[in-house]
Amino acid sequence: MGVGMTTHSHKAGLYQEGITAYDVVLGDGSLVRATATENEDLFRALPWSHGSLGFLVALELKLVKVKPYVKLNYVPVKGMADYCEMIRMVSGALDKDYPAPDYVEATIFSKQEAVIMTGEYTDCVTDDDKRKVNHITRWYKPWFYKHVESFLKKGKAQELIPLREYLLRHNRAIFWVVEDMIPFGNNPIFRFFFGWLLPPKPAFLKFTTTPGIRAMTFTKQVFQDIVLPMTELEKQIEINEKLFDAYPILVYPCRVYDHGPNSGQLRPPRPDQMVPGAKWGMFNDLGVYGVPGPVKRKEPFDAVKAMRAMEKFTRDVGGYSFLYADIFMDFKEFNQMFDLTLYEKVRKKYSASDAFPHLYDKVKPEIDVFKVGKEYINPL
């Protein structure tokens, strides 16, 4: 309901592309089934609706056949033009028939350095395979992004990672956010004796987040996942450095399919964003997490102004903000980013208007709580 993507999304698209049916309890208490042929309008509007159309009680989804391990290749690349082009190539953004690997991910450590990871499902049968196995989620192991960073010096490498551990690779350090909480957390001694405590449980973090702490994270940190066209990857990195100067940053390629106009909250990709000959455009998640450079250097940093500028860039290039994160748009700007045409019709048709808050009302700025950046936001 809130949408999402993984390092497999360059093949499968956003999560909703794998859903074949939703069972939803509507505002009038009735239970309906939504598929591509039954209540099709509801089926198209549910993704990115964040529970504002009904209660999701069951779904049917497609499965992908897997193997016990992921054979992960680490490729360090220097030069922004080179690593951006390599990400586009291995993800299939340049050629719909390119034999793309099962997983593609890039961690960008600076404007000039990145490590691109490609993974394939595999078995572990030979002695050589067994020697390559790395249990990356064990409590005493280096945080994954630090492990990845080491290949900038080591050069290319290949490992076998148990599939479940690969899927949880960023958990212990919450990507790299824990370093801001516990600067010594990746120290080998700390990891050995206390690494089992990580990551902090979300319930614990929520329980201990006072309004003061929330205000600090609101103004002194950035937590954003943004869906942007891969044709603009270089500009994404440039604007991240200009507005946040926050590294590392994460890039996951992702298909965004053209389902036609007014077919959900996402608009069809623009013609120049489409993969040649395909029914999808190649976008990517830009993950920006942590403390911006100006804050680390104790320089002035206007979080609202920076995010407003990032949102404008996102709208201009035809991208989308993930709505779990803080947004700073007024309703007019929100309506420019997302296509609410079908959504508004579905709210009326399926009894959501009087039972559930509007999508914007669920995710709009918490301006009444924090009184931050009022000159930049025009709330409803």
Side-chain angles (χ1 to χ4, degrees), residues 32-53:
V32 301
R33 183 175 178 83
T35 72
T37 57
E38 181 182 2
N39 298 311
E40 188 263 348
D41 50 356
L42 180 62
F43 180 79
R44 293 297 180 194
L46 279 170
W48 230 301
S49 65
H50 287 257
S52 63
L53 296 176

Side-chain angles (χ1 to χ4, degrees), residues 222-280:
V222 56
F223 299 99
Q224 292 288 330
D225 283 291
I226 308 166
V227 184
L228 294 161
M230 193 170 282
T231 52
E232 306 288 354
L233 185 54
E234 289 87 348
K235 290 183 181 178
Q236 299 173 34
I237 297 161
E238 293 277 5
I239 197 167
N240 165 73
E241 183 163 295
K242 177 182 177 182
L243 296 177
F244 306 114
D245 192 14
Y247 289 101
I249 53 177
L250 201 66
V251 171
Y252 290 0
C254 177
R255 291 182 184 182
V256 173
Y257 283 84
D258 182 356
H259 292 295
N262 305 328
S263 59
Q265 281 75 287
L266 302 192
R267 305 175 193 278
R270 299 172 183 175
D272 63 319
Q273 298 167 351
M274 298 293 288
V275 175
K279 297 180 180 179
W280 61 83

